[in-house]
């Protein structure tokens, strides 16, 4: 596998200012060529329809200068730090303190999550953002079953999210079914689609599975766009009913919750309700997943990730095991989709692009495959970080892409780099992720 | 019959473009075993660079079409190849011996970077260019007034593809670089022990793949007369489908797969529905992988126990 | 061949393209006995194993398994995981295939998947945490503990399998196979890479599995000290066909066997002649 052993070690890397300067010059030259036309010249469709262009050599020079300077700084930092590894950046005592904090992190986060609506009651923006983060936590936890536990690479997870959202939207707008009736239906329908996709493709491995799930996600989106009579096509479905507290609407009406409780109506009530709804759904996902890991099915998922051939030799039906993983993950995605639909009140195919799948997958991988806490932290980091760039809308995805690349280089194994055993005799000790396989299916 | 012949021509031209992109996927997959998700976007960048250089050349007063085409071709191949090289260097090389998912996500990230880089730097609107290569031949005049046309641009696309494919086949089968590439494909450690510069060989694979994608981008620009920042995604998936259909790792397979996808898409649009042409292409991918996991010309994989 | 065979391989054929890896091979493995399948490298032993355990579908012939209660099964028709699940044949691999990121205990729990699946009511009862499930889980842990103890790995129960020493991994893989409660245990070179002391321990383990569990064992082995010491019956293969069979002593003195080994590998032939004397 490793060709590193055959190559000279990196210890013999040259240093000195001449080397740094040479490297920076090369980087700047590469940047100059790369950006020459793309940045140096700006094209646009002119008033007559033909293309016009103007030059931006100032921007080009600035960018190349930045690359030059940046290259020098990075090289200096690298020589000052030596080889990049965690011990160097984070001293041992701090690591120990962190692992102690780590034990309290999950309960602390949970308590904090419960208190968010109390603390930020008057800050609508934070409440909305928290709901968004929790939605992604739930999606991350759902996909974690498929990717993190069973080791099946799914790049089309958004399809199940879409199935859930459209199931609720269409059932509610066409048949007037309530959210609480539709929620399980949305999950079941999504799981059904998960099995439907799973059946044919589960013989595939690794990247093939990834590309087929991606194609499946795109097919679902294209069908939604084109099947206008059912889904409204690109215009989407609007007027999706808001959720009710078991039949009591959260609105300004006479039988609304506020009126029944005899308090003044506030639109924040609904937001707070939505917050606790998604919190409960996410926690349910988490609870079920933790339970499943300790059941034979969950252990079989992990065993499948570790070695599929060995699983077969132990009498495990690999096909049904994979299908249950797919179905379980899809079901959680479907629940999240139904929530998304009721929160937005409007859905359209634009919300279910490949970027969403990639985002959720990035959350799972960044979290450290299989780690529930890691996924929650990663969702918080990613969605929170994403929000920081709200003002620079057009740079958002650019920065997101760069962050994805850098995060993978920095922590290819994710934030939480170990696996907790599901059962133990005496010592509950974590297993280093170097041993844990990533699955090949 | 005439309608059919016309669709056949159109399909072959489209298929040539897919084939050129597919070669990049197949080469990279063969040598490093990863799907280079950013490859579709490299194709898009190639199209943009061709568009910009064309615009600049025309505004400089150049009028000889063949000369313009040649310069545009060279410029876009060189610059796009450098994009391929840089991406491998920044996003893939540090992850080469890492956990399998990491390079894949890094590649997806890189794809977002390229898409949004060109959106930010060149704007989100579609960039139309006037027809550059015009004229053509009428092959057959049907009784109902339907004529089978073969335009010059179609000839250019197919000819360019054939020439490049020939050069490329020679490169892989007859040169030192090609031998190194095949060696790295088999066993990188062993190749390194035998004195093959693995890093350089992998870099060159990305460079060549990107250069071919640039040609595809330019042909797309000439053929459809427009580029936009989002065109890499769908074209990328379809080209990957082509690579898989042909048997990933096989160069003639990639071309064959490209032609097949081009034909399927064209005929589906012509006889069934344009809206569902992408659905058709993706469904083909799924069906092929299920029934022929090794594709048309791929090597069967024997399960080792 | 008389007595009571648990496994009967009848004119087994396995072709890969134009190559015949196993050609009309017939042999039987006796109940509660240890049968060894030996032969030079490339003789087709692992292919036979893969046919018996369902990883390959034979090109021809039959593989019959007779349970104690008289039920017989055609293994070549079962295929895949059903061979372990229904026919109760377990196997190990030449290049150890544990679940390296799971603990030794977890490895043994995975092996009890089918029994535990039933006990957990196909997950639903387990999800609710019903007492019947808890009891079943405790029993499974006890079985795993017993086997960890038998293979001397009780103190390593909570360590990742990938962290165990090579010899420990070999024994853990046998323990894992035994946790599926098989009637026939197929071992593919269990002594490969073990030192003399470890392979002595392996002999004892295999004998105790035969004597205490009453499990029949079929093993492929290169280590002649293991074969000669514990086998009740030896089948010798070369180039996909059976060239001899009989008791260890009879096989050892068979000139055809010596020739096969000499032709293939001198050292191995000498090992055959010298071992057990």
């Amino acid at each position: 596998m490793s060709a590193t052993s055959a190559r000279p070690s990196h210890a013999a890397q040259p240093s000195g200012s001449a080397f740094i300067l040479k490297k920076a010059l090369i980087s700047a030259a590469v940047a100059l060529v790369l950006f020459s036309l793309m940045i140096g010249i700006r094209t646009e469709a002119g008033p007559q329809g033909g293309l016009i262009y103007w030059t931006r050599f100032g921007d080009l020079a600035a960018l190349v200068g930045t690359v030059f300077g940046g290259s020098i700084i990075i090289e200096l930092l690298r020589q000052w730090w030596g080889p990049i590894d965690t011990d160097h950046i984070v001293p041992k005592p701090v690591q120990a303190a962190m692992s102690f904090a780590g034990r309290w992190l999950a309960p602390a986060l949970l308590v904090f999550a419960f208190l968010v609506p109390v603390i930020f009651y008057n800050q609508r923006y934070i409440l909305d953002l928290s709901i968004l983060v929790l939605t992604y936590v739930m999606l991350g936890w759902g996909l974690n079953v498929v990717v993190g536990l069973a080791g099946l690479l799914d790049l089309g997870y958004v399809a199940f999210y879409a199935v859930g959202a459209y199931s609720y939207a269409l059932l509610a707008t066409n048949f007037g079914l309530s959210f609480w009736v539709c929620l399980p239906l949305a999950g079941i329908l999504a799981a059904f689609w998960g099995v439907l996709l799973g059946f044919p493709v589960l013989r595939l491995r690794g990247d093939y599975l990834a590309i087929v799930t991606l194609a499946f996600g795109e097919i679902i989106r294209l069908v939604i766009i084109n099947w206008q009579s059912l889904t409204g096509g690109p215009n989407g479905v609007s007027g999706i009913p808001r959720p009710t507290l078991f039949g009591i609407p959260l609105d300004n009406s006479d039988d609304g919750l506020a009126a029944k409780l005899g308090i003044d109506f506030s639109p924040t009530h609904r937001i707070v309700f939505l917050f606790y709804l998604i919190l409960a759904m996410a926690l349910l996902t988490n609870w079920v997943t933790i339970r499943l890991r300790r059941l034979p099915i969950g252990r079989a998922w992990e065993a499948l990730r570790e070695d599929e051939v060995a699983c077969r030799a132990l009498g495990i039906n690999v096909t049904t095991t994979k299908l249950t993983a797919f179905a379980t993950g899809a079901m959680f995605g479907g629940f999240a989709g139904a929530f998304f639909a009721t929160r937005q009140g409007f859905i359209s195919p634009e919300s279910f692009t490949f970027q969403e799948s990639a985002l959720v997958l990035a959350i799972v991988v960044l979290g450290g495959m299989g780690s529930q806490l890691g996924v929650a932290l990663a969702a918080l980091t990613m969605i929170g970080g994403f929000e920081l760039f709200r003002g620079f809308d057009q740079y958002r995805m650019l920065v997101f892409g760069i962050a994805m690349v850098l995060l993978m280089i920095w922590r290819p194994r994710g934030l939480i780099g170990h696996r907790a055993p599901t059962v133990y005799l005496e010592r509950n000790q974590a297993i280093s992720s170097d041993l844990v396989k990533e699955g090949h299916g | 019959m005439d309608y059919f012949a016309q669709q056949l021509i159109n399909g072959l031209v489209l298929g040539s473009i897919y084939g050129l992109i597919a070669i990049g996927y197949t080469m990279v997959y063969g040598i490093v075993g990863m799907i280079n998700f950013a490859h579709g976007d490299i194709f898009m960048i190639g199209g943009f660079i061709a568009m910009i250089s064309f615009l600049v050349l025309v505004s400089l007063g150049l009028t000889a079409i063949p000369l313009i085409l040649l310069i545009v071709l060279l410029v876009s191949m060189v610059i796009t190849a450098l994009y391929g090289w840089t991406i491998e260097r920044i996003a893939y090389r540090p992850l080469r011996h890492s956990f399998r998912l990491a390079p894949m996500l890094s590649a997806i990230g890189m794809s977002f970077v390229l898409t949004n880089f060109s959106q930010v730097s060149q704007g989100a609107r579609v960039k139309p260019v006037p027809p550059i290569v015009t004229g053509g031949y009428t092959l057959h005049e049907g009784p109902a007034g339907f004529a089978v046309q073969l335009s010059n641009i179609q000839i250019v696309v197919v000819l360019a593809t054939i020439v490049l494919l020939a050069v490329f086949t020679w490169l892989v089968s007859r040169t030192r670089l090609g031998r190194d590439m095949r060696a790295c494909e088999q066993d990188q450690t062993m190749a390194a022990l035998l004195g093959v510069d693995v890093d350089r060989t992998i870099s060159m694979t990305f460079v060549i793949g990107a250069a071919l994608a640039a040609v595809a981008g330019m042909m797309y620009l000439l053929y459809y007369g427009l580029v936009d920042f989002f065109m890499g995604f769908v074209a990328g998936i379809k080209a990957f489908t082509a690579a898989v259909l042909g048997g990933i790792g096989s160069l003639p397979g990639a071309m064959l797969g490209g032609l097949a996808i081009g034909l399927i898409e064209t005929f589906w649009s012509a006889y069934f529905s344009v809206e569902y042409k992408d659905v058709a292409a993706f469904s083909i991918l799924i069906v092929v992988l299920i029934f022929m996991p090794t594709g048309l010309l791929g090597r069967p994989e024997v399960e080792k126990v | 061949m008389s007595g009571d065979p648990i496994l009967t391989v009848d004119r087994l054929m396995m072709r890969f393209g134009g190559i015949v890896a196993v050609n009309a091979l017939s042999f039987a493995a006796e109940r509660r006995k240890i049968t060894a399948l030996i032969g030079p490298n490339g003789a087709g032993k692992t292919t036979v194993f893969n046919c018996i355990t369902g990883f390959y579908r034979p090109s021809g012939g039959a593989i019959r398994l007779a349970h104690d209660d008289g039920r017989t099964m055609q293994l070549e028709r079962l295929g895949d995981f059903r061979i372990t699940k229904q026919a109760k044949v377990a196997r190990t691999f030449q290049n150890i295939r544990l679940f390296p990121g799971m603990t030794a205990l977890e490895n043994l729990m995975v092996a009890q998947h089918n029994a535990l699946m039933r006990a957990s009511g196909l997950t639903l009862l387990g999800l609710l945490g019903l007492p019947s499930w808890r009891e079943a889980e405790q029993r499974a842990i006890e079985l795993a503990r017993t086997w960890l103890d038998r293979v001397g790995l009780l103190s390593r129960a909570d360590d990742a399998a990938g962290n165990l020493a090579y010899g420990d991994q070999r024994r853990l893989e046998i323990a894992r196979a035994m946790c599926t409660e098989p009637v026939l245990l197929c071992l593919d070179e269990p002594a490969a890479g073990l030192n003399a002391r470890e392979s002595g321990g392996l002999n004892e383990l295999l004998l105790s599995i035969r004597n205490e569990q009453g499990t029949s064992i079929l093993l492929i082995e290169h280590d002649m000290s293991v074969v000669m010491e514990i086998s009740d019956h030896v089948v010798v293969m070369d180039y996909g066909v059976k060239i001899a069979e009989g008791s260890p002593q009879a096989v050892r003195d068979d000139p055809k066997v010596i020739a096969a080994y000499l032709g293939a590998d001198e050292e191995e032939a000498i090992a055959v002649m010298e071992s057990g004397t």
Side-chain angles (χ1 to χ4, degrees):
Chain A
M1 270 303 281
S2 162
T4 356
S5 51
R7 272 187 269 123
S9 88
H10 289 288
Q13 239 178 27
S15 57
S17 52
F19 169 75
I20 295 176
L21 204 63
K22 190 178 152 208
K23 206 164 176 185
L25 277 173
I26 294 175
S27 308
V30 168
L32 179 65
V33 179
L34 290 185
F35 298 144
S36 55
L37 292 179
M38 290 300 281
I39 300 283
I41 291 169
R42 172 74 157 91
T43 56
E44 196 54 87
Q48 274 87 45
L51 275 181
I52 54 165
Y53 77 94
W54 61 93
T55 57
R56 288 186 302 196
F57 294 140
D59 293 357
L60 177 62
L63 204 58
V64 171
T66 312
V67 169
F68 182 75
S71 168
I72 291 180
I73 291 171
I74 288 173
E75 200 53 42
L76 282 175
L77 283 178
R78 190 182 288 168
Q79 295 195 355
W80 178 52
W81 252 328
I84 296 172
D85 69 62
T86 330
D87 279 358
H88 234 82
I89 297 168
V90 188
K92 278 271 182 233
V94 179
Q95 277 187 38
M98 272 165 68
S99 85
F100 178 76
R103 226 170 298 154
W104 297 100
L105 192 56
L109 270 180
L110 186 62
V111 170
F112 178 72
F114 270 105
L115 293 179
V116 161
V118 181
I119 302 171
F120 301 105
Y121 186 78
N122 289 321
Q123 280 155 293
R124 172 79 192 260
Y125 171 70
I126 296 203
L127 287 181
D128 277 338
L129 182 58
S130 313
I131 293 175
L132 190 67
V133 168
L134 282 173
T135 312
Y136 279 97
V137 169
M138 175 157 180
L139 284 171
W141 278 340
L143 184 61
N144 197 18
V145 171
V146 185
V147 178
L149 294 184
L152 302 164
L153 189 44
D154 184 352
L155 282 181
Y157 192 58
V158 76
F160 308 123
Y161 190 43
V163 168
Y166 272 89
S167 302
Y168 170 58
L170 296 176
L171 287 172
T173 51
N174 291 337
F175 303 106
L177 295 180
S178 83
F179 178 74
W180 296 102
V181 175
C182 291
L183 185 66
L185 284 178
I188 290 168
L189 280 170
F192 169 75
W193 279 97
V195 172
L196 210 64
L197 165 72
F199 247 118
V201 306
L202 287 177
R203 278 170 32 198
L204 305 172
R205 295 186 167 205
D207 298 329
Y208 287 114
L209 182 65
I211 206 81
V212 167
T213 47
L214 192 162
F216 180 75
E218 283 297 298
I219 288 176
I220 294 264
R221 193 175 63 87
L222 289 167
V223 168
I224 289 175
I225 290 178
N226 288 310
W227 195 350
Q228 302 216 359
S229 57
L230 180 73
T231 63
N235 300 327
V237 183
S238 51
I240 302 166
R242 301 302 191 162
T244 56
L245 185 62
F246 302 105
I248 308 169
L250 293 145
D251 57 15
N252 211 353
S253 65
D254 285 345
D255 14 285
L257 184 70
K260 290 212 166 149
L261 292 178
I263 51 174
D264 287 338
F265 171 75
S266 152
T268 313
H269 291 164
R270 187 167 58 78
I271 305 298
V272 170
F273 173 70
L274 283 172
F275 177 89
Y276 281 117
L277 177 61
I278 185 66
L279 183 63
M281 283 164 65
L283 288 178
L284 182 74
T285 308
N286 185 33
W287 180 81
V288 170
T289 310
I290 289 175
R291 269 325 259 265
L292 286 175
R293 267 194 82 208
R294 291 177 190 157
L295 287 168
I297 188 68
R299 276 197 205 105
W301 288 340
E302 291 202 76
L304 201 62
R305 177 191 68 205
E306 298 282 314
D307 192 330
E308 188 178 328
V309 169
C311 281
R312 275 159 59 188
L314 294 175
I316 295 174
N317 185 339
V318 172
T319 312
T320 51
T321 306
K322 283 183 180 177
L323 282 180
T324 50
F326 249 93
T328 311
M331 182 182 73
F332 291 138
F335 288 151
F339 173 80
F340 177 77
T342 190
R343 178 179 100 107
Q344 299 293 97
F346 163 75
I347 50 170
S348 77
E350 267 175 49
S351 307
F352 307 105
T353 58
F354 171 64
Q355 289 182 356
E356 292 297 309
S357 290
L359 178 57
V360 180
L361 184 65
I363 286 172
V364 172
V365 175
L366 179 66
M369 305 240 303
S371 164
Q372 298 290 99
L373 176 61
V375 167
L377 288 176
L380 196 62
T381 320
M382 291 280 232
I383 306 300
F386 218 49
E387 271 314 293
L388 290 181
F389 284 87
R390 183 178 271 285
F392 318 87
D393 214 20
Q394 53 171 345
Y395 292 98
R396 246 166 110 182
M397 282 310 287
L398 187 62
V399 172
F400 174 62
I402 294 173
M404 241 167 111
V405 173
L406 293 181
L407 285 170
M408 280 307 117
I409 292 173
W410 175 54
R411 296 219 77 151
R413 279 288 183 163
L415 294 172
I416 306 278
H418 53 75
R419 170 182 176 270
T422 58
V423 58
Y424 59 92
L425 286 185
E426 262 124 37
R427 289 159 295 146
N428 187 3
Q429 53 185 14
I431 296 167
S432 156
S433 63
D434 296 334
L435 294 169
V436 179
K437 295 275 187 265
E438 49 187 315
H440 51 157
Chain B
M1 194 59 218
D2 283 351
Y3 187 62
F4 179 85
Q6 184 65 60
Q7 298 311 325
L8 190 66
I9 293 173
N10 297 348
L12 287 175
V13 173
L14 182 62
S16 300
I17 295 176
Y18 286 148
L20 285 175
I21 313 176
I23 288 176
Y25 277 113
T26 256
M27 280 169 61
V28 168
Y29 195 92
I31 203 158
V32 271
M34 66 170 280
I35 299 174
N36 180 9
F37 259 95
H39 192 64
D41 297 280
I42 298 248
F43 154 76
M44 176 273 296
I45 292 277
F48 264 87
I49 288 173
M51 180 270 294
I52 297 170
S53 47
F54 170 73
L55 200 60
V56 172
L57 286 176
V58 169
S59 77
L60 288 178
L62 219 58
T63 47
I65 298 285
L67 186 62
I68 292 182
L69 288 182
L70 195 67
I71 297 176
V72 168
L73 182 73
L74 287 178
V75 168
S76 54
M77 277 176 88
V78 168
I79 298 184
T80 313
L82 195 63
Y83 270 90
W85 181 85
T86 312
I87 288 167
E88 194 272 336
R89 198 59 203 258
I90 294 177
Y92 304 155
R93 189 176 295 181
L95 291 168
R96 197 174 299 154
H97 301 292
S98 173
F99 180 63
R100 180 178 59 92
L101 272 176
M104 173 171 260
L105 276 161
S106 184
I108 294 175
M110 213 63 218
S111 155
F112 289 163
V113 169
L114 289 177
T115 307
N116 291 280
F117 166 67
S118 76
Q119 185 191 2
V120 167
S121 67
Q122 296 294 330
R125 282 159 67 189
V126 171
K127 306 274 185 285
V129 289
I132 302 157
V133 182
T134 49
Y137 307 94
T138 301
L139 296 184
H140 182 255
E141 194 90 46
F146 185 87
V148 182
Q149 306 275 355
L150 178 64
S151 63
N152 284 336
I153 176 63
Q154 291 180 321
I155 299 175
V156 169
V157 171
V158 172
L159 272 186
T161 305
I162 292 173
V163 169
L164 276 165
L165 207 61
V167 171
F168 187 71
T169 311
W170 168 80
L171 198 71
V172 170
S173 57
R174 291 274 183 273
T175 63
R176 164 97 207 236
L177 174 67
R179 205 180 62 205
D180 289 356
M181 282 161 83
R182 280 175 287 141
C184 289
E185 205 171 310
Q186 297 284 325
D187 188 336
Q188 282 185 22
T189 311
M190 197 60 212
L193 286 173
L194 295 175
V196 174
D197 186 342
V198 175
D199 279 345
R200 197 179 138 268
T201 310
I202 291 176
S203 280
M204 284 312 290
T205 309
F206 276 84
V207 163
I208 295 172
L212 290 176
V215 180
M218 179 182 163
M219 297 302 149
Y220 185 92
L221 175 79
L222 293 177
Y223 191 51
Y224 290 101
L226 53 86
V227 283
D228 73 84
F229 76 98
F230 207 70
M231 72 189 205
F233 178 64
V234 171
I237 303 183
K238 283 190 201 151
F240 184 80
T241 306
V244 170
L245 180 61
I248 200 141
S250 155
L251 297 173
M255 206 60 229
L256 196 66
L259 292 178
I261 293 288
L263 287 170
I264 289 164
E265 192 182 320
T266 312
F267 280 106
W268 189 278
S269 309
Y271 290 101
F272 300 101
S273 75
V274 185
E275 289 84 22
Y276 284 98
K277 72 180 161 79
D278 291 351
V279 174
F282 297 149
S283 307
I284 297 277
L285 172 72
I286 296 180
V287 170
V288 166
L289 278 176
I290 292 159
F291 293 105
M292 267 195 303
T294 54
L296 297 170
L297 301 179
R299 289 178 291 259
E301 201 175 308
V302 176
E303 187 179 37
K304 292 243 172 67
V305 177
Chain C
M1 291 298 299
S2 60
D4 176 21
I6 181 162
L7 178 81
T8 316
V9 174
D10 189 12
R11 280 163 297 165
L12 180 70
M13 291 285 288
M14 187 70 215
R15 287 189 210 90
F16 297 102
I19 301 158
V20 181
V22 179
N23 191 359
L25 178 78
S26 300
F27 72 92
E30 293 286 298
R31 198 179 303 281
R32 289 187 195 83
K33 292 279 162 58
I34 296 179
T35 308
L37 189 58
I38 65 168
N41 286 328
K45 305 181 295 288
T46 298
T47 308
V48 173
F49 253 48
N50 286 340
C51 290
I52 294 173
T53 51
F55 282 90
Y56 293 159
R57 191 158 284 264
S59 321
I63 305 168
R64 266 188 308 281
L65 185 85
H67 275 238
D68 289 359
D69 57 12
R71 282 182 306 147
T72 60
M73 302 188 173
Q74 300 288 109
L75 295 192
E76 80 279 5
R77 289 189 201 150
L78 275 181
D80 209 23
F81 69 96
R82 288 183 195 83
I83 288 190
T84 310
K85 189 180 177 182
Q86 292 163 13
K88 295 276 167 206
V89 177
R91 74 169 289 175
T92 64
F93 296 88
Q94 201 170 337
N95 44 348
I96 309 170
R97 298 194 88 126
L98 289 167
F99 306 120
M102 303 175 88
T103 65
L105 177 64
E106 283 180 305
N107 267 274
L108 301 195
M109 295 295 281
V110 173
Q112 301 177 56
H113 178 80
N114 289 316
L116 285 175
M117 266 318 249
R118 273 192 302 279
S120 69
L122 300 174
T123 307
L124 290 176
L125 302 180
L127 207 52
L128 301 173
L130 294 191
S132 66
W133 154 249
R134 285 173 196 284
E135 281 164 28
E137 191 185 25
Q138 271 315 312
R139 276 198 307 277
I141 293 175
E142 279 315 307
L143 180 66
R145 187 200 292 271
T146 313
W147 276 106
L148 282 169
D149 197 23
R150 294 261 311 255
V151 298
L153 289 173
L154 194 53
S155 61
R156 307 295 307 268
D158 299 323
D159 287 330
N163 264 345
L164 298 179
Y166 187 82
D168 292 348
Q169 293 197 6
R170 281 248 173 252
R171 290 202 308 282
L172 181 61
E173 205 190 10
I174 295 174
R176 189 181 66 179
M178 287 309 295
C179 278
T180 64
E181 307 199 292
V183 295
L184 175 66
L185 177 64
C186 300
L187 304 170
D188 197 345
E189 299 202 24
L194 300 189
N195 61 34
R197 192 175 50 83
E198 286 173 327
S199 71
L202 178 74
N203 287 352
E204 281 171 34
L205 175 65
L206 296 186
L207 288 173
S208 81
I209 286 174
R210 180 192 66 183
N211 298 340
E212 290 167 34
Q213 264 65 41
T215 307
S216 316
I217 296 178
L218 178 66
L219 69 110
I220 293 178
E221 193 45 76
H222 273 300
D223 186 335
M224 288 303 149
S225 68
V226 173
V227 173
M228 293 301 149
E229 209 166 298
I230 64 171
S231 305
D232 301 303
H233 187 76
V234 180
V235 177
V236 191
M237 278 181 79
D238 194 18
Y239 294 111
V241 296
K242 181 173 75 180
I243 56 170
E245 73 175 312
S247 68
Q249 282 70 29
V251 163
R252 195 185 57 197
D253 301 331
D254 190 322
K256 269 191 292 185
V257 177
I258 295 167
Y261 272 90
L262 272 176
D265 188 356
E266 202 167 340
E267 280 171 14
E268 276 180 315
I270 293 165
V272 174
M273 288 183 284
E274 284 179 352
S275 59
T277 50

